[in-house]
Amino acid sequence: MQLRAAPCGALAGTVRVPGDKSISHRSLMFSAMAVGESRIEGLLEGEDVLATAHALEKLGVEVARTGEGAWTVHGVGVGGLAEPADVLDMGNAGTGARLMMGLLAGHSFTSVMTGDRSLRSRPMGRVMTPLAKMGVGFVGRSGNRLPAAIVGTRELLPITYQSPVASAQVKSAILLAGLHAQGITTVTEPLPSRDHTERMLAHMGATVTSETAPDGSLTVSITGRPELRPSSFLVPSDPSSAAFPVAAAAVAEGSRVVVEGVCVNPLRTGLFTTLMEMGAGIMEQNRRTVGGETVADLVVRGGRLEGVEVPAGRAPSMIDEYPVLSVVAALAHGTSRMRGLSELRVKESDRLATMAEGLAACGAAVEIEGDDLIVHGTGGRPVRGGVTIDAKLDHRIAMSFLVMGGIAREPVTVLGAEAILTSFPGFVERMNALGTSIAEVAA
Ligand code: S3P
């Protein structure tokens, strides 16, 4: 599918974005490990999360949709999954694949996992290495890529692991495997990544402890083989999806947009902090707790944005938001430097390269220096646009360049825009209701 975004003016209105992708994957998987029925409301019904639901079904878990965003899961208990009769296809989802490996680790059967072209190109070694230390066997393609066979064991060893990357996917895979091991499993990451796994498992009755060291690193420990309580999950709106209306409104002078019920967990809000440092008017209203997470309505006013320095240490809290930030930085007054983005190279696409190439094609002045992305803003003047960008199976690249189309001089066309369905079904309708002009064009 090709979508074209034409230049539009100020945005106005109120919008609600779909459920959080991270929490949605986790609510399905963690429910599967409790004994009995869990209920989920507000589940993101994007392709990534549906792939997780289908994989769980293949593993013998009853998963049912009872209404819009409403699902029930009949959990089989920690260690209770059944050998799948077929390959587990995780689609485009890195979170689905890596967390599922952690879940499969403690079962004494072999499963085979694959995914789409993007997922099959992504490194799985970061998860395979610690899980292998716990006793799991892997047979994968070169470079530890999918498809791979996972040879689990009921006799997992608890480990203490120092992760080289701040990654919630790595941390969560180890913690999920640790749930199946006898004893305490500990993982340290160089900076804290999103903590949904820790919060949700603790809520279900697991013993989880977290400690931040003076050097900023985070150590999380989990006690194996607990009895997890079935739960009711209420999934808040995804800040990584809210990023698109928020950024589009912040950069368009005269805009006033309200994004309702957004998860504002501090480990997810780096983009909002950064936009405020650029001068954007973003106000939180009605802070409240939903499903154990703080949510708020974000009131965004568009206006002049200044260039910004984003420190490397902020990356984990906005790792999925750099593509759209770099789009708005292209129109800022002054230069923006986003530091320490090596992790962007192993996302659904190489986001550092894809953004730099796409922004340059649109007429923006960009450079990559080591792992930093530098964008020289135009001082509020629209960039040229008028190009076609290949989304490269990456939903956030697709949505970012559709935001670009709204603020460029000429429309921007996105090839492979169906990738958006992995995380944000209803993106076009919701954005257009605020005043953007995005439409499908014939191939
Ligand atoms: C996610 C963690 C992040 C993020 C991804 C979702 C998660 O990946 O990019 O979209 O739900 O744990 P890393 O943890 O590998 O950085």
Side-chain angles (χ1 to χ4, degrees), residues 9-274:
L11 305 186
T14 298
V15 70
R16 185 173 278 270
V17 302
D20 187 74
K21 182 150 71 70
S22 296
I23 298 175
S24 293
H25 279 298
R26 287 164 172 79
S27 60
L28 287 170
M29 288 191 204
F30 299 178
S31 295
M33 292 188 298
V35 180
E37 183 180 287
S38 291
R39 291 173 179 278
I40 308 169
E41 275 175 60
L43 189 84
L44 165 63
E45 293 176 328
E47 288 170 356
D48 274 14
V49 176
L50 298 180
T52 288
H54 290 142
L56 289 172
E57 282 176 331
K58 285 187 180 165
L59 293 160
V61 181
E62 251 180 72
V63 181
R65 183 177 192 262
T66 56
E68 205 186 315
W71 292 65
T72 56
V73 179
H74 286 267
V76 292
V78 173
L81 298 177
E83 183 189 78
D86 200 355
V87 172
L88 305 173
D89 185 350
M90 304 312 295
N92 188 250
T95 304
R98 295 191 178 115
L99 270 60
M100 189 60 83
M101 283 186 180
L103 207 56
L104 293 169
H107 294 82
S108 52
F109 55 71
T110 297
S111 35
V112 179
M113 184 183 286
T114 191
D116 72 2
R117 189 158 37 86
S118 156
L119 188 59
R120 280 183 275 116
S121 73
R122 297 179 66 183
M124 294 294 148
R126 52 182 52 204
V127 174
M128 290 176 176
T129 300
L131 295 183
K133 287 186 197 295
M134 298 177 81
V136 182
F138 291 99
V139 184
R141 285 200 303 134
S142 57
N144 292 320
R145 287 167 214 270
L146 298 180
I150 300 136
V151 186
T153 167
R154 244 183 232 293
E155 304 306 321
L156 277 184
L157 298 170
I159 55 165
T160 294
Y161 187 71
Q162 186 90 37
S163 172
V165 279
S167 159
Q169 295 181 357
V170 172
K171 174 176 65 178
S172 302
I174 297 167
L175 294 176
L176 290 181
L179 273 183
H180 296 77
Q182 180 85 57
I184 296 178
T185 296
T186 298
V187 55
T188 298
E189 51 182 355
L191 287 169
S193 63
R194 66 193 67 189
D195 59 357
H196 307 302
T197 296
E198 297 93 301
R199 284 168 180 261
M200 293 169 74
L201 289 177
H203 171 74
M204 295 173 77
T207 305
V208 188
T209 59
S210 301
E211 207 182 316
T212 310
D215 67 356
S217 64
L218 175 78
T219 297
V220 183
S221 295
I222 198 159
T223 306
R225 305 197 177 163
E227 174 112 2
L228 295 180
R229 283 190 295 270
S231 300
S232 287
F233 296 100
L234 205 50
V235 182
S237 290
D238 195 332
S240 298
S241 295
F244 298 99
V246 167
V251 72
E253 189 92 41
S255 294
R256 186 183 182 280
V257 162
V258 181
V259 190
E260 289 179 336
V262 181
C263 174
V264 289
N265 177 323
L267 295 167
R268 300 291 301 280
T269 50
L271 173 74
F272 308 141
T273 306
T274 303

